[in-house]
Structures are given as C-alpha cells and as structure tokens.
Amino acid sequence: MLLPHLNERQRRLALATEARLLGHGGVRAVAHAAGVSETTIRRGVFELEAGEEPLPDGRAREPGGGRRHVELCDQCLVPALLALVEPDERGDPESPLRWTTKSLRRLAEELTRQGHPVSAPTVGRLLKANGFSLQANAKTLEGKQHPDRDAQFHYLNAQVRKHQGAGEPVISVDTKKREQLGRLPNAGRQWRPKGEPIEVEDHSFFFSGPEVEHAIPYGIYDLTADLGWVNVGVDHDTSAFAVESIRRWWRARGRRDYPHATRLLITADAGGSNSCRYRLWKAELGELAAETGLAITVCHFPPGTSKWNKIEHRLFSHVTMNWRGRPLTSHEVVVNTIASTRTRTGLRVQAQLDTGSYPLGVSVSKQRMDALPIEHHRAHSAWNYTIQPHPLRPCPAPPPATTEPVEPADPRRRRASTLRKLSDPRLTGMTQPQLDQLAHDLAPAQAARAQQRHCEQRGGRRRRARGNLRHRPLLDDPARLLVTVLYQRQICSQHTLSDLLEINPTSIGLAIAETAELLQQFGHRVTASTLCFPDAAAVRRFLATGAEPTARTQAFTTLSDPILTGMSRDELRDMIDRLSCLQAAQAERRHYQRRGGPRLPGTRAGVFRQKITDDERVLAAILYQRRVCTRQVLADLFEVSPRTIGDALLHLRPLLEHDRYVTLPVATRHSSAAALLQSIKPADTPEPPG
C-alpha cells in the first residue's frame, strides 16, 4: 500500500529499513516479498549506514544521473541549430528555414532531417542556453531625421516651461485612430464567464463604405493638470473639426481651470487635421482666438516624431487599454468607455459626442489668409507661430458707405453669394433661364452618376435604407454645372475657382471632370470666351466694375479684321466651325500618342485649360500664312510664348490644307505689334468724302 506513493529513492530507503529490522536474511526476505532486486535493497542499506544528507526537494537521484545531454553526444547539433536560427550572421545564408516561421517544432523537424534527432523542448533549452529568447520587432529605426529636429524639441520644451511658469494653459492635441462601429473584434481580453465570449463578426467588409457609422476621437490633454478631453466626431477629421474640439474643451474645462488666462499653447503633430501646412487649421484658430481673446501659440513636432507627443502615451494609450476586448457597437459605448478611463496617477478624462457636420474639400482664400493676424516665430517659423486675437497692425479707416452688399461671415452663405455672382451671362455665355434649363436637363444624369460613385465607394449595392444626410455637399448639381461651364469657357483656372469658392482644388477638379463627361454625352458644346482672369481679385473686380482683365480679351476681335484675314468675319467664323471637329480629333490623337494608350477611366477628359483657344489658333495660322507678321508679334498679341504659336502653326497647317484654304499674302509684313495695330482702320471711323 505504501510503495506506489513513493519515488525511486524513497522506495529503496523504505525497503532497506525493513531489511535492517529483520536482521540476518532480511535483505533476501524483503526482496522476495517486494519483488525487487537484492542489489537495490543493499544499496539502500549502504546509503542509510553512510548517514548522507537528504536530497533537495524534487530530486530522486544525485546530480549526474540519467542520460547525457544530446549536445554532448552530438557536437554538430548546436552549430546546425544556430545556422537555422541566424542564417544571416552565424550560419548559412541559404538556410532552408530562411523565409519561414522558426518555431521550436519546425526547428526540431529540420534538425532531425539533417541527421540530428532532437525534440522541440530540447531545442528550446539549447536556444536559451545560447542567449536566445522570444522577441518582437523593435520600432527604433526612424529613417532620415530632420536637421532641425533637436533644436525644435528644445524650443518646444522652452515654450512649455514658459507658459506653465506663467500659469497659462498648455495642451497637447491629436486625433486617435478612426473606429468603425459594429460588432467587430477589438484587440485585447477581458474577464467573462467561462465559455461565454462576446460574439463578433468574423469579416469586416460588411462594415465598410460611406454609410457605415464611425467614431473619430480628437483628444486634448492638459499637460499641467493631467486632465483629458475627447471630442468624438461622427463626420470627417478636418481642420474645422480639430479646432471645434479645442473650442469645446475651452468652454467646458479651459476657461474654468484657467479663468485669468491670456495665452494658450498648443503642441501638435506636423501632419493630420492639425497640420502646419493647412490654411484652414490656421484660419479656424484665428476665429477661435478672436472669440476667446486668447493669443494662441502653436508649436508643431518635427515630421516623423509624433510618438513624442504627450497625448499619445498619457491619454490615448490608457483609452485603448480601457476598451480592450470590447466591441464598439455605438457612439454611446465609445463616449462612456473613454469617459471612464482612469489611472492610479490621477488621470481623469471627459468625453463628448459631436454630431456636427465637417465636410471635406473646404479651403481658405488667399485674401482671407492674408488678413489673418498671424505672427511667425523667428525660430523655425514653419512650425512655430502665434495667432493674435486682434490684427497685428491698426485697422485702416472704414471706407465710405457704398451700396455694395457685405460678404456674409458664414462660409456656406458666402459660397452661395459667390455662385450667384459667377452666373453672370458675361461669364457663362448664356442667360440665366438657359443655364437653369441646362441644369434641369442634366439633373437626372448627375443624380445617377452620384449613385454610381457611391456604389463604387461602397464596393456594392446599398445594404440598408438611405437615412438623412448629415450634411449637404459643398457643391450641389447646379453649382457643379456652373463651375464646369466657367472652366470650359477658360474664364479662369481651377486654383482661381478654388480661391473664389473656398473649396479645395482637388474637389473642383473632380466636379469638373465628372460634369464635363455628362455635357459631352448630352452633346452640349461650351465655346471658349475671350475673357481670361489670372486670379480671384480680377474676377471680383470684373463683377463689381465690369473692367476686363487684360488687353488680350480684344485681341481676337481686333485681329479678325478683314483687312488682315482677307475674308469677312462670317467667313472666318464658318471656317472655324468647320475646323473645330478636326482640331478636337487631332488633339485627341496627339494626347493618345503621348499617353501611349487610351485614356484611363476617371481621368479628366478635355477640361484642361489651353494657353490659347482653338479659334485663336486658326486666326494665328491664317495671319502667319498671309505673312501679316512674325511669330513673335503673334506671341505678343496673344500674350503667349513663341513656342506656343509655333506649335499651333504646326498643327493647323495640315488642317488648312484639308480645308483647301488658299493663301493670299499681304503686301506689308509688320515687325511689331504696335505697327500691326496702327495699320488697322477703326471700324467706327467714317470714310472720307469722295
């Protein structure tokens, strides 16, 4: 009954004790009764009589017992193992496990195949004995560092100490990763009843597309008070959303914690919605400074150093640990989970849901940016600047009262007012009823194209009923049509339209490309205008006073005089109309050769602004073939380079031959633009009598 509960040494000593108690013949009697060897019992007797100390707990034999280690029997085992684990440094670079996972089991199988039979636990013991351990990748390589990186860190630290010493608020801001809402897996584990884990979706493509709800946490961390504020947005992570988050923090916490504050220091990354390059970020901060009366100083971290931002490891890391293993199924779950974040060092966090609309594509005009009271620091001015709550220079005296309406302060109302002005018939080339009728005819196709675009973004059909839109687009369908007409008439560039409407040039370009394709499908041809505005100020000046931008607007009318062309204006217009299709086909063939293939889907077809119009190309070719003037004179009259005129002449020569145009040279060839203009008799000059 006792022997099965003892180990090898204990059984030997127990049997030896019984044999000694029996006296002479006891060894043989115990061996026969227990069924063991007499040698084993005698060995136990010798150990008892020797009086040795008991072995340590857990040992049944003296050290050195058992088989020899496999690495002692096989001297080539350890080198072979190291060659598999570190092929680049210690072993063969052609190792069979170079591009596979080096698990203990796989290493043992490969060593056995090479003639070194070994088990997986033995491989683990050998690796530990040779200084190996399981390690993850270390994020230490930062690539090329900015030359002013260290200096900016010192300057930023000095600014923080200066503001904290004066009792002024210092905050660190950043946007946390966008989180999709739904029963999606979240990293980490939490305590649950055994066998009852939270069930989540095994695929996330059901939660993709523009209609899926998501949460955008924008954090504000108070470095002095160790307090966090998180504004959870539901729309887009834009500069307007970032500044609105700071505004909400100031109203809820900042003005209460710092009632006598006159300055605010913001430390932020150099990219994202609070990028140092974004005009909208600085313009919105200017409005916040004017609203709060604070001088807002912003110090950006150098590019590639966002992990040094305090908010990353003092706020966002604790928020991530707090919601580990918990699916973020609704905005309420996100807000409450963030607000319940606590640390033993005293961190407290407040969270609020922001259902406001922050559309993409909003820009800031150059005029508005120039009026911003911003003061760049002498040290690293691109990263450090202060926005005053009032203009840096005294405001000039107000102008006398005029009948001109005051521009509205709201960006959307200001954009609507600008669109009404841009629908001027002088710019669009059509009356307002004609423009409205074209917009009415194009509306169904625009709506269908918008649905197709949304389907492509979703990656399939709509999976739920369409809800209420959180915001209206920056450009509705009539506005997209108006912008396209203005651009195709070559009134101004996309950057000028962006400056006028305060919309990103990329959004302007996409709207023009999509609407131009629909206009082409409907067969509506937009003729180029003689008006050409270099910037937004020229457009505003024209709409206010009617002043034309440059003398080039009259160049076509002046140079199409029958004295120069040798034909009437009606005959010139008929020729231009006949050559228009040939010019378009020639341009498309030329672009095809440059691309080396057909146009890719989604590219902007035929909406790029030309330096001179097709009508001006035909007129220049006629004047040059009639030897009216030189290429340089034509370049001066049309305000382009001689190379542009040369390309136009090269492309128009075969078209004029195809149209069977007969050249009739003039008697005098003018060597300057002034001489050519003086040779033209004004149309309103009466003929002399007789």
Side-chain angles (χ1 to χ4, degrees), residues 346-396:
L347 173 66
R348 297 295 181 267
V349 182
Q350 296 183 12
Q352 188 180 60
L353 183 64
D354 184 359
T355 58
S357 172
Y358 304 98
L360 298 175
V362 178
S363 182
V364 177
S365 63
K366 187 176 184 300
Q367 180 184 7
R368 182 181 169 193
M369 194 65 188
D370 293 339
L372 188 66
I374 184 171
E375 178 183 2
H376 292 275
H377 297 191
R378 296 182 61 182
H380 316 292
S381 59
W383 296 334
N384 308 297
Y385 48 87
T386 300
I387 302 178
Q388 301 292 340
H390 51 78
L392 296 176
R393 295 175 296 274
C395 297

Side-chain angles (χ1 to χ4, degrees), residues 130-148:
N130 284 271
F132 286 85
S133 63
L134 289 175
Q135 299 181 16
N137 296 338
K139 298 180 180 180
T140 57
L141 302 180
E142 300 177 359
K144 184 178 180 181
Q145 298 180 359
H146 198 282
D148 296 334

Side-chain angles (χ1 to χ4, degrees), residues 629-677:
C629 58
T630 62
R631 294 184 184 181
Q632 183 62 49
V633 174
L634 291 174
D636 296 339
L637 291 171
F638 288 107
E639 298 182 359
V640 294
S641 65
R643 181 175 181 178
T644 301
I645 296 295
D647 293 341
L649 299 178
L650 180 64
H651 298 152
L652 262 297
R653 184 179 293 112
L655 299 185
L656 292 176
E657 294 177 356
H658 181 272
D659 196 59
R660 297 181 180 180
Y661 171 70
V662 179
T663 304
L664 298 176
V666 296
T668 305
R669 187 175 189 180
H670 303 283
S671 59
S672 65
L676 186 148
L677 295 176

Side-chain angles (χ1 to χ4, degrees), residues 401-438:
T402 61
T403 58
E404 290 294 330
V406 180
E407 291 290 340
D410 182 47
R412 189 175 293 276
R413 296 179 56 190
R414 185 166 59 246
R415 189 177 302 114
S417 174
T418 303
L419 288 171
R420 286 194 299 269
K421 295 178 181 178
L422 292 177
S423 61
D424 192 298
R426 295 172 295 177
L427 300 180
T428 60
M430 60 185 76
T431 62
Q432 188 63 43
Q434 292 175 339
L435 185 62
D436 294 340
Q437 183 62 36
L438 180 59

